[in-house]
Amino acid sequence: MDQLPLEGMPRRLYSCTPSRLNTWLDCPRRYRFTYMDRPAPSKGPPWAHTGVGISVHNALAGWWREPYERRTPETAAALVGRGWIGEGFRDAEQSAAWRKRAAEMTGAYAATLDPADEPVGVERTVAARTPVIALSGRVDRLDRRGAELVVVDYKTGRRPPTGDDARFSLALAVYAVASERMLRTPCRRVELHHLPTGSIVEWEHTEESLAGHLRRAEEIAVEASEADDRYRAWAGPARPAGRTGRASPEAGRTPPEVPAEIDAVFPPRTGPLCSWCDFRKHCPEGRAAAGDRDPWDGLADD
């Protein structure tokens, strides 16, 4: 059976993404279902709004890979249709309507871009280390503006982001730090581009504010890492816990039975977000806290 780290011994670096850290913050039980339990518990049906977001992100990434002469609004719209994810919609009619809507907003956004202004990176993986964590993540787009880099994140949700969303986003701050360290170029500005409205919100970080985000990431990582160690000490080598959140070949089963003392390390954090949890059917507390949602309820009003 795995042992907890000995007191006074240095801990191994906690390897993580911003998504993993935010999952721990949102709900430790969902974190356990996502990253620790193997076989991974089965998820609910796919969400239509997630498919819209992925379709648009993929189209914009593909747009920058096109030859310069094909970087047109029409190409952007066509790429949405070509890679459309039609899962989670009420019916084929709703899917078709949203495919058209997503193509139009993606084409309109592409019309605001200079096809000759080549980004430093598109869907680029960046990484950074501290004495506590090894962070990595994928940036939607990394621009060069003058002598500095700018982190660009696409948003397709129904609610336009605010300046506070950009300012307090742990993921964007981590991407800025990692981009600066990897490319040895200053990176302070982060931007959220909301395609449905065409709005852009930005935040200009300082060295101090980025350092604050890193400290917060380390604090979250220490909590999650200690919980991971408790789980692994219980699970032992016969039941290895996952590290990446990828579905195992046995995915789709019910989560393993864990003793009360381990369940207490990963308590549910209930609230309105429980309606949107992929694992709500495995969480009685979450079902009691918030009602069911149809897979298409996350879409903006038609």
Side-chain angles (χ1 to χ4, degrees), residues 109 141 143 145 150-156 159-169 172-173 188-205:
Y109 177 74
R141 198 175 85 220
D143 288 350
R145 313 267 179 86
V150 177
V151 171
V152 174
D153 193 60
Y154 305 130
K155 294 297 179 186
T156 58
R159 181 183 69 85
T162 67
D164 280 350
D165 291 323
R167 177 183 182 183
F168 295 115
S169 169
L172 294 182
R188 295 285 187 272
R189 175 171 295 188
V190 298
E191 295 180 350
L192 295 171
H193 293 203
H194 189 240
L195 272 70
T197 60
S199 63
I200 296 176
V201 297
E202 62 186 44
W203 183 255
E204 191 82 22
H205 277 291

Side-chain angles (χ1 to χ4, degrees), residues 7-297:
E7 187 175 352
M9 293 291 290
R11 298 183 66 90
R12 66 180 182 274
L13 288 183
Y14 179 77
S15 244
C16 60
T17 62
S19 177
R20 182 166 183 149
L21 295 176
N22 282 324
T23 301
W24 174 263
L25 272 183
D26 289 343
C27 179
R29 177 172 287 174
R30 180 159 63 91
Y31 174 97
R32 195 196 96 205
F33 288 158
T34 303
Y35 297 104
M36 304 304 296
D37 284 346
R38 293 298 178 266
S42 57
K43 293 184 177 183
W47 300 101
H49 64 275
T50 300
V52 171
I54 295 172
S55 300
V56 169
H57 278 70
N58 288 344
L60 288 172
W63 190 80
W64 284 109
R65 299 186 187 106
E66 292 284 337
Y68 167 77
E69 62 274 9
R70 284 187 47 78
R71 293 177 187 172
T72 65
E74 293 75 21
T75 296
L79 287 170
V80 171
R82 197 177 304 163
W84 183 245
I85 299 173
E87 298 177 327
F89 292 92
R90 181 177 54 242
D91 49 35
E93 182 180 359
Q94 187 187 46
S95 175
W98 269 93
R99 182 174 64 245
K100 180 173 184 283
R101 186 168 178 172
E104 288 173 348
M105 71 179 177
T106 305
Y109 177 74
T112 69
L113 303 174
D114 179 357
D117 190 13
E118 200 77 35
V120 175
V122 173
E123 294 290 330
R124 176 163 185 161
T125 297
V126 294
R129 290 190 174 206
T130 78
V132 177
I133 49 179
L135 276 165
S136 64
R138 193 162 60 182
V139 182
D140 286 348
R141 198 175 85 220
L142 190 61
D143 288 350
R144 187 183 298 276
R145 313 267 179 86
E148 298 189 352
L149 301 175
V150 177
V151 171
V152 174
D153 193 60
Y154 305 130
K155 294 297 179 186
T156 58
R158 66 167 76 188
R159 181 183 69 85
T162 67
D164 280 350
D165 291 323
R167 177 183 182 183
F168 295 115
S169 169
L170 179 67
L172 294 182
V174 165
Y175 296 154
V177 170
S179 299
E180 178 169 323
R181 292 185 182 182
M182 286 184 65
L183 301 175
R184 300 182 180 180
T185 304
C187 186
R188 295 285 187 272
R189 175 171 295 188
V190 298
E191 295 180 350
L192 295 171
H193 293 203
H194 189 240
L195 272 70
T197 60
S199 63
I200 296 176
V201 297
E202 62 186 44
W203 183 255
E204 191 82 22
H205 277 291
T206 64
E207 186 175 342
E208 291 74 20
S209 66
L210 290 176
H213 275 287
L214 275 185
R215 286 193 299 272
R216 181 61 177 138
E218 289 179 330
E219 291 168 358
I220 301 167
V222 168
E223 291 181 11
S225 180
E226 290 175 350
D228 288 4
D229 288 339
R230 292 284 300 276
Y231 188 101
R232 292 189 179 104
W234 162 73
R239 192 186 292 116
R243 292 194 176 190
T244 66
R246 299 189 186 96
S248 74
E250 296 178 300
R253 300 184 181 180
T254 56
E257 292 292 332
V258 300
E261 61 269 23
I262 297 300
D263 191 46
V265 176
F266 300 89
R269 192 163 290 152
T270 58
L273 288 179
C274 292
S275 290
W276 306 98
C277 181
D278 288 331
F279 302 107
R280 61 180 279 107
K281 66 181 177 181
H282 303 294
C283 181
E285 294 89 343
R287 294 196 302 274
D292 289 331
R293 292 279 189 171
D294 287 319
W296 54 86
D297 281 351

